[in-house]
Amino acid sequence: MGNVSAAESTKSHVDLPSPPLPLPPHAPETTRSLPKGASQLTGSTDVQVVNPGLYEDLHKQTKELFPQVFEGAKVIVAKGLSSHFQISHTIMLSTFTPSVYRFGTTYIGTKQISPTEVFPVLLGDIDSSGNMNANIIHAITDRLRGKLVAQFQPNKCLGHQLSMDYKGDDYTASLTVGNVDPIYLSGLLVGHYLQRITSSLALGAEIMYQRGQQIPGGEIAIMSLAGRWSGNKWQLSANLSPMAGNLHTCFYQRVHEYLQVGVELETSIRMAESTATVAYQIDIPKADVTFRGQLDSNWCIGAVLEKKLAPFPFTLSLSGYANHVKSQYRFGIGMIIG
Amino acid sequence: MADFNQLRAIEDDEDEFNEDESISERLIGLTEMFPETVRKVCSYTGSFLGTATKTGIWLVRNALWIASSSAVILVMPVVFESERAQQQEEHLQQQRQILLGPNAAVSGSSSGNLLPGMNMVPPPPMSQRP
């Protein structure tokens, strides 16, 4: 996902040969129930406590507080056929985006690295109009992870990328190759490195090299720096790219047992725009409710309320979005069954 | 020539009374009795007050609209859910009190979710769901 953000950072002056690849839409729900990254486990081995985590997960703790607003109706039926295999049917009815039926599958393999991480993971997703997303995540060795993401439309391949992550004792290095086209010799190459300096500070760098026909000059390379400083209940992470003139900073704080607050600031000097967003998450465990809200400097607000309806495995989600400047209000209702 | 002068005098007299000025022009002419600075200050103050009132009303109106519509989306659902959960807790507590006597109701439920600091002992794991 760091490649997605890197690719987006070049969008301002470059037309990518293909759009950045989002994860399949149901992946966040399944990956939340799937084992989390190694750095979030506490103390199973020394490697996992000191390792700073993936470069892509730099802002993850703050980003998780942001609500995923949607419009219209969304029904997801998730069913586990066996302990290794899950399928999900999704129907999204909406006025502003075309309505779709999506079928997704998840296969979890048999290689067990730790009690909560099992590999390989195969995720697939296909649309009623033939758009398909496919992910393969595998742990080749204890420390080496590979991930292959591909996106297809009915008649062509929109994009693909392959990334390998190596988790050292106190560093993480990863290499990503995307959209390699041998005919036109175009593609994207991204290298990440994140090193833990002290127990609360981690610094890293990213180098992105892209080659393509739409890029002025044929090729471009951009370097950016990243840092993350964590405390007991807070975390400050920043991503700075002096060459592209981008700054992305996130601050996360756990204010209370039930309240978490995050702030994000994204500045792009090339596009001459800057956006600050405040997000919060309120958990009400007695009512099985999770509420996430966000507040923008563009006068936009959004909120998602998720409520588990207790005796049944249903989750009801209500989403609201308001843009005060344009006076647009969008609401959505979703039901996740299973 | 004397007639002509007399005529002109009469015309001048008439002109003094039938001047082509409307009432507003005459009133504005009255303001000339005040000095320049007083006139300017009054005029600026008046227009400033008018603009300030209009801007103030516009600001208050928009702020109220934005605050209330944002509160509906951001604050209302949380308040509803936490109040509802609190009500259910109290209801259960009452039921327990009725069933087992007043002493049994003391242990357990904490009132409110956002400020549980008062109750240090975690509530016993009562299965509230079938």
Side-chain angles (χ1 to χ4, degrees):
Chain A
M1 291 206 323
N3 329 304
V4 170
S5 64
E8 279 177 8
S9 70
T10 63
K11 255 189 184 168
S12 51
H13 55 279
V14 152
D15 271 329
L16 286 180
S18 49
L21 304 176
L23 274 181
H26 71 274
E29 281 122 32
T30 50
T31 48
R32 273 190 197 159
S33 61
L34 274 181
K36 296 275 193 184
S39 60
Q40 298 191 15
L41 295 172
T42 49
S44 44
T45 67
D46 280 340
V47 172
Q48 293 170 336
V49 170
V50 183
N51 186 286
L54 293 179
Y55 188 95
E56 287 99 18
D57 295 343
L58 199 70
H59 303 296
K60 185 170 156 189
Q61 206 165 12
T62 313
K63 288 296 211 177
E64 277 184 343
L65 302 180
F66 283 73
Q68 309 292 322
V69 292
F70 57 92
E71 197 273 340
K74 178 170 87 170
V75 179
I76 301 178
V77 180
K79 190 167 170 181
L81 296 181
S82 79
S83 67
H84 292 287
F85 198 64
Q86 292 175 3
I87 58 174
S88 78
H89 306 270
T90 307
I91 295 184
M92 306 209 319
L93 310 169
S94 155
T95 320
F96 303 100
T97 60
S99 307
V100 291
Y101 162 73
R102 220 173 249 146
F103 176 72
T105 64
T106 306
Y107 171 76
I108 301 179
T110 49
K111 177 173 178 181
Q112 189 142 19
I113 304 281
S114 71
T116 55
E117 288 186 327
V118 194
F119 290 102
V121 176
L122 305 174
L123 297 166
D125 201 282
I126 186 158
D127 223 337
S128 52
S129 40
N131 303 330
M132 189 177 105
N133 295 332
N135 282 11
I136 301 178
I137 307 173
H138 188 49
I140 301 170
T141 74
D142 225 0
R143 294 179 179 228
L144 190 61
R145 302 264 162 94
K147 182 163 139 177
L148 175 63
V149 178
Q151 197 174 2
F152 299 92
Q153 271 184 352
N155 291 326
K156 59 176 182 167
C157 174
L158 270 188
H160 56 272
Q161 77 191 17
L162 169 70
S163 61
M164 310 286 289
D165 305 316
Y166 180 79
K167 293 198 179 200
D169 282 339
D170 59 353
Y171 68 93
T172 308
S174 56
L175 184 68
T176 305
V177 175
N179 295 334
V180 173
D181 192 347
I183 305 172
Y184 299 110
L185 279 182
S186 68
L188 175 72
L189 185 72
V190 184
H192 290 156
Y193 182 74
L194 189 61
Q195 165 89 44
R196 180 177 289 282
I197 312 277
T198 75
S199 63
S200 55
L201 181 64
L203 296 175
E206 167 191 84
I207 292 187
M208 191 202 80
Y209 172 72
Q210 191 175 6
R211 208 183 161 110
Q213 289 179 327
Q214 284 94 337
I215 302 170
E219 55 189 12
I220 187 168
I222 296 182
M223 189 183 95
S224 49
L225 305 164
R228 178 170 57 200
W229 185 21
S230 16
N232 190 14
K233 291 188 179 182
W234 57 272
Q235 191 184 78
L236 175 68
S237 55
N239 201 337
L240 172 66
S241 171
M243 291 181 207
N246 289 343
L247 170 67
H248 185 189
T249 314
C250 289
F251 178 71
Y252 163 90
Q253 168 112 26
R254 181 176 273 277
V255 172
H256 190 260
E257 194 184 343
Y258 303 119
L259 175 63
Q260 298 169 322
V261 177
V263 182
E264 178 196 33
L265 174 68
E266 259 191 271
T267 304
S268 171
I269 294 183
R270 253 174 229 275
M271 313 250 282
E273 65 183 16
S274 178
T275 307
T277 313
V278 177
Y280 60 94
Q281 176 174 333
I282 296 180
D283 301 308
I284 307 178
K286 292 209 180 65
D288 277 335
V289 161
T290 304
F291 182 83
R292 294 190 176 95
Q294 80 174 30
L295 202 49
D296 221 335
S297 67
N298 297 329
W299 298 94
C300 296
I301 57 171
V304 168
L305 173 91
E306 280 168 14
K307 184 176 167 89
K308 291 196 189 359
L309 305 172
F312 307 108
F314 298 167
T315 304
L316 173 72
S317 69
L318 301 170
S319 143
Y321 178 79
N323 185 339
H324 290 293
V325 172
K326 297 187 198 166
S327 225
Q328 280 178 354
Y329 307 94
R330 300 196 178 172
F331 295 92
I333 180 166
M335 183 70 109
I336 301 177
I337 301 172
Chain B
M1 282 298 277
D3 286 336
F4 186 58
N5 288 338
Q6 270 183 341
L7 262 177
R8 274 186 59 190
I10 294 170
E11 279 180 18
D12 281 336
D13 282 337
E14 286 180 2
D15 278 336
E16 277 178 36
F17 291 115
N18 295 342
E19 294 188 1
D20 297 316
E21 274 188 0
S22 66
I23 291 192
S24 54
E25 281 176 356
R26 284 195 222 165
L27 284 171
I28 290 172
L30 276 178
T31 62
E32 286 173 5
M33 84 169 122
F34 297 110
E36 181 86 16
T37 48
V38 175
R39 262 188 279 155
K40 268 194 191 162
V41 166
C42 285
S43 149
Y44 287 152
T45 312
S47 63
F48 173 73
L49 275 178
T51 317
T53 314
K54 278 192 209 161
T55 312
I57 289 179
W58 179 88
L59 250 171
V60 168
R61 197 168 156 234
N62 274 338
L64 206 57
W65 170 256
I66 289 179
S68 52
S69 59
S70 306
V72 163
I73 293 181
L74 290 177
V75 173
M76 198 177 74
V78 188
V79 169
F80 276 176
E81 282 298 326
S82 65
E83 287 289 323
R84 196 164 156 257
Q86 202 178 341
Q87 273 254 320
Q88 276 188 335
E89 277 293 312
E90 283 175 12
H91 183 66
L92 277 168
Q93 196 182 358
Q94 268 190 344
Q95 279 192 333
R96 252 186 290 163
Q97 198 175 16
I98 292 171
L99 266 179
L100 306 168
N103 291 329
V106 171
S107 70
S109 55
S110 56
S111 59
N113 305 298
L114 297 182
L115 296 170
M118 302 300 289
N119 200 1
M120 284 318 195
V121 178
M126 243 207 66
S127 61
Q128 301 174 0
R129 339 214 124 74

